């Protein structure tokens, strides 16, 4: 609206137009030109995207999301006594620490949503309805985005986006809230490591096929 068809003839015009943006609620904008030189053609691997701590918004989560900071310590922390590393197991996905509910409560939630969300007609989906509900719970409870969930459940990103959107609507219809975890569960690190492993294996298979 600030530009209103004004020719963007220079960087100065663009920066001034952006900086002049205000709202009735008091928004003020500071804009400046970044004159650094950046390499072109840089590609971001799927594993790096999947590992980003994103919380996607309900409205067009592929466009609107919050990216949470990941502070990197400058001084290595003192080495703690080594503890056995938790190994990956598919049943970890239903861990109450991750879902915030017992296995019985998770089953009851699936049973409640099934009449409206599990139609018995048409082409069968790749994921069973209990898996779809579990993926939605993990999405809302520990902020797992569609990309890592698709990797963990062996689905596609597009199908997982549709599943999450459908089940969020179902939960809202039934007045069921899945509160987010107040602190990241320790088991979440195992899931993130699993995503990176599967993504790397997939990329290696693609490279081998291309060769």
């Amino acid at each position: 609206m600030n530009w209103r068809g004004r020719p963007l003839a220079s960087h100065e015009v663009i920066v001034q137009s952006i900086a002049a943006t205000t709202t009735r609620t008091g928004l003020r904008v500071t804009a400046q030109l970044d004159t650094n030189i950046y390499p072109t053609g840089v590609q971001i691997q799927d594993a790096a995207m999947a590992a980003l701590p994103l919380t996607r918004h309900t409205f067009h989560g592929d466009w609107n999301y919050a990216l949470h900071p990941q502070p990197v310590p400058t001084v290595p922390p003192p080495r703690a006594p080594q503890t056995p590393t938790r190994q990956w197991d598919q049943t970890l996905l239903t861990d109450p620490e991750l879902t915030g509910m017992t296995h019985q409560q998770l089953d009851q939630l699936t049973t409640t949503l099934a009449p409206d969300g599990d139609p018995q007609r048409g082409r069968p989906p790749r994921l069973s309805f209990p898996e779809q509900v579990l993926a939605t719970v993990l999405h809302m409870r520990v902020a797992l985005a569609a990309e890592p969930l698709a990797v963990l459940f062996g689905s596609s990103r597009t199908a997982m986006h549709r599943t999450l959107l459908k089940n969020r609507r179902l939960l809202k219809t039934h007045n069921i809230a899945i509160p987010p975890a107040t602190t990241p569960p320790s088991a979440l690190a195992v899931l993130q490591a699993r995503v990176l492993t599967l993504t790397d294996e997939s990329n290696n298979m693609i490279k081998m096929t291309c060769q």
Side-chain angles (χ1 to χ4, degrees):
M1 291 178 66
N2 287 336
W3 293 344
R4 295 183 180 177
R6 182 182 180 185
L8 303 179
S10 66
H11 290 140
E12 183 181 4
V13 172
I14 297 173
V15 171
Q16 289 179 352
S17 298
I18 296 173
T21 304
T22 59
T23 65
R24 294 178 181 177
T25 55
L27 174 70
R28 295 294 182 270
V29 176
T30 300
Q32 62 183 18
L33 180 63
D34 184 355
T35 58
N36 292 321
I37 299 176
Y38 298 94
T40 59
V42 176
Q43 295 184 351
I44 305 300
Q45 299 298 324
D46 292 341
M49 290 296 297
L52 290 175
L54 294 178
T55 300
R56 298 188 180 276
H57 298 180
T58 304
F59 179 76
H60 280 295
D62 49 342
W63 298 341
N64 306 304
Y65 49 83
L67 176 61
H68 305 288
Q70 287 184 309
V72 179
T74 55
V75 179
R79 297 183 62 181
Q82 293 186 355
T83 55
T85 303
R86 190 170 185 179
Q87 299 297 318
W88 168 254
D89 185 343
Q90 191 71 20
T91 59
L92 180 63
L93 293 171
T94 59
D95 190 322
E97 184 189 9
L98 288 169
T99 63
M101 59 185 70
T102 65
H103 292 92
Q104 183 178 2
Q105 290 171 327
L106 183 61
D107 291 340
Q108 182 60 46
L109 175 64
T110 303
T111 302
T112 300
L113 300 179
D116 298 322
D118 190 18
Q120 301 298 321
R121 64 179 184 275
R123 183 179 179 182
R126 180 179 299 182
L127 297 181
S128 66
F129 188 66
E131 289 176 321
Q132 295 180 31
V133 173
L134 174 58
T136 307
V137 170
L138 293 174
H139 168 66
M140 301 181 69
R141 167 78 176 168
V142 293
L144 280 177
E147 291 83 355
L149 285 172
V151 174
L152 290 170
F153 285 86
S155 179
S156 68
R157 180 175 61 179
T158 301
M160 185 59 70
H161 271 300
R162 289 198 298 263
T163 293
L164 297 177
L165 181 60
K166 178 192 71 173
N167 286 340
R168 287 176 70 102
R169 289 172 177 169
L170 276 177
L171 290 168
K172 185 176 181 180
T173 300
H174 287 267
N175 293 320
I176 299 175
I178 307 294
T182 54
T183 57
S186 59
L188 185 59
V190 183
L191 265 61
Q192 294 171 336
R194 179 64 174 173
V195 170
L196 292 175
T197 299
L198 291 176
T199 305
D200 288 342
E201 290 176 355
S202 176
N203 289 338
N204 289 335
M205 288 297 295
I206 292 175
K207 291 178 182 178
M208 292 174 62
T209 303
C210 293
Q211 292 172 354

